[in-house]
Amino acid sequence: MYKNILIPIDDQEQSYCAINVAGMMASCQGGSVTLFHVRRPPQEVVTDIVTEDKLFSLPLKEQESRMFARGRDILKGYG
């Protein structure tokens, strides 16, 4: 029934609970899970030209990497 489940994540426990539920559903249905996070640019980036090097050097990148790593670890448990 579900081919791909799209899960928005942030660093809240509710996101990780949603990942668990999506992992269970996808493993039972033979589907996949896609995690995504939407970042609001800091004010200094909004007032300047946004270039790739400015976006990827922001301090939030480390936090986002931890979020996705934790999400991947959860999903690995479901295959």
Side-chain angles (χ1 to χ4, degrees):
M1 181 174 198
Y2 298 104
K3 292 185 180 190
N4 190 13
I5 302 170
L6 186 63
I7 303 291
I9 63 170
D10 56 16
D11 206 16
Q12 303 293 318
E13 281 304 311
Q14 291 89 341
S15 292
Y16 302 115
C17 290
I19 293 170
N20 271 306
V21 171
M24 281 190 281
M25 291 172 63
S27 68
C28 292
Q29 304 279 331
S32 64
V33 177
T34 301
L35 305 177
F36 76 96
H37 174 73
V38 177
R39 180 194 305 175
R40 179 179 294 163
Q43 191 63 33
E44 65 270 10
V45 174
V46 173
T47 60
D48 199 357
I49 295 174
V50 178
T51 60
E52 188 173 330
D53 62 315
K54 287 182 183 177
L55 281 176
F56 290 113
S57 68
L58 296 174
L60 292 177
K61 185 176 184 232
E62 290 178 11
Q63 179 185 10
E64 291 167 347
S65 294
R66 285 192 303 270
M67 287 188 310
F68 284 109
R70 184 173 173 191
R72 279 191 299 272
D73 289 343
I74 293 169
L75 290 173
K76 282 180 186 176
Y78 296 103

